[in-house]
Amino acid sequence: MCVLVRAEVTVSDTKAKFLEKYPYPIPSVWSTIVSELLVQAHFTKYNRKYEYNALSSLGFVSVFDQLFEGFPDEAQKAKIFEAFLSALGEDAAKTRADAEKLGAFAASAEGVDGLKANPLFATMATQAAADKLLYTKYIAIGMFRMLELAKATDPKALESLVGAGGVDLKKVNSDLAMYKGLLSKLAAAKELQAEFLEREKRKTAERLAKKAEKAASE
């Protein structure tokens, strides 16, 4: 499928901007994912149909926070978030604020009907009908997150909300399945890394103990 790019900004440019903002090593469990997400986000941002969407912000923030759950340094995590969005020419503070605002709305909504009352879904449906809506996986994840917060996660509720936004249900279900698979793979990778670090910690302790015993005997 052809991607319509609206500006002569390359993936390399976006990656360079990220590294300029965050020129520090990222643990391997997260570095590959950050790189992949940045490439995907680049093509979304520079698609001719792109338009900022609070629902996408909720989806992105949800993905980022879940992927970075357990990251060893909260301050660095925040800097990575800011660098990621800055590299794309987006406002990190606005993105998180809009995500929190939409999340608060969803938490206070009375089921899926309450969620559908938000005007953003009517706007999306109008854009979709005019072939002006750029659908991304973050829209799907944003919808799912709203349903979670509204405690309305049954398939019928998802179908109803997707219909209100004029989005293809098959695409949404496919993207949600991929998202859940990604979280499972990441959880497994984190577990392996934790086991590796624990083994290395034990080996280091054993080496130090042996060194101390040798020094004492001498």
Side-chain angles (χ1 to χ4, degrees):
M1 182 174 66
C2 178
V3 176
L4 299 174
V5 177
R6 65 179 184 180
E8 293 299 323
V9 180
T10 67
V11 171
S12 295
D13 292 334
T14 297
K15 286 184 174 181
K17 289 176 184 176
F18 174 78
L19 291 173
E20 182 181 345
K21 291 287 183 179
Y22 194 82
Y24 312 107
I26 299 174
S28 58
V29 170
W30 290 277
S31 61
T32 301
I33 293 173
V34 168
S35 180
E36 290 177 358
L37 291 181
L38 192 60
V39 171
Q40 294 170 12
H42 169 90
F43 286 112
T44 295
K45 175 61 188 281
Y46 295 106
N47 187 295
R48 294 187 187 280
K49 287 184 179 181
Y50 175 78
E51 184 176 322
Y52 178 81
N53 183 312
L55 184 60
S56 292
S57 289
L58 177 60
F60 174 75
V61 169
S62 298
V63 168
F64 184 90
D65 287 349
Q66 286 188 276
L67 291 180
F68 275 79
E69 185 177 351
F71 194 74
D73 190 318
E74 284 296 317
Q76 294 305 309
K77 171 183 168 180
K79 289 180 180 179
I80 293 170
F81 180 83
E82 185 174 353
F84 188 103
L85 289 166
S86 178
L88 295 161
E90 298 289 352
D91 186 327
K94 174 178 171 56
T95 298
R96 188 165 286 281
D98 286 350
E100 290 176 355
K101 182 178 179 181
L102 192 56
F105 164 82
S108 65
E110 296 183 0
V112 67
D113 289 335
L115 296 179
K116 287 161 60 178
N118 192 302
L120 74 83
F121 290 103
T123 299
M124 284 174 54
T126 299
Q127 291 175 325
D131 194 27
K132 293 181 179 179
L133 177 69
L134 178 61
Y135 169 80
T136 70
K137 64 177 177 291
Y138 294 124
I139 285 179
I141 296 165
M143 286 185 178
F144 184 73
R145 182 58 181 150
M146 289 185 76
L147 289 166
E148 279 187 324
L149 291 168
K151 296 180 172 57
T153 55
D154 60 281
K156 287 293 183 183
L158 177 62
E159 183 178 354
S160 180
L161 194 61
V162 167
V167 181
D168 188 298
L169 182 61
K170 287 184 179 180
K171 287 183 179 179
V172 169
N173 280 326
S174 176
D175 283 333
L176 289 178
M178 289 178 64
Y179 169 56
K180 292 173 183 176
L182 175 62
L183 291 179
S184 295
K185 288 179 181 178
L186 181 65
K190 286 180 182 177
E191 186 176 341
L192 286 173
Q193 185 184 56
E195 291 174 357
F196 171 77
L197 292 175
E198 184 60 30
R199 285 197 302 271
E200 290 301 304
K201 186 178 179 180
R202 285 199 302 268
K203 288 178 182 178
T204 300
E206 289 170 2
R207 284 196 298 269
L208 291 174
K210 288 180 181 179
K211 186 176 180 180
E213 287 176 7
K214 183 178 180 182
S217 65
E218 293 176 350

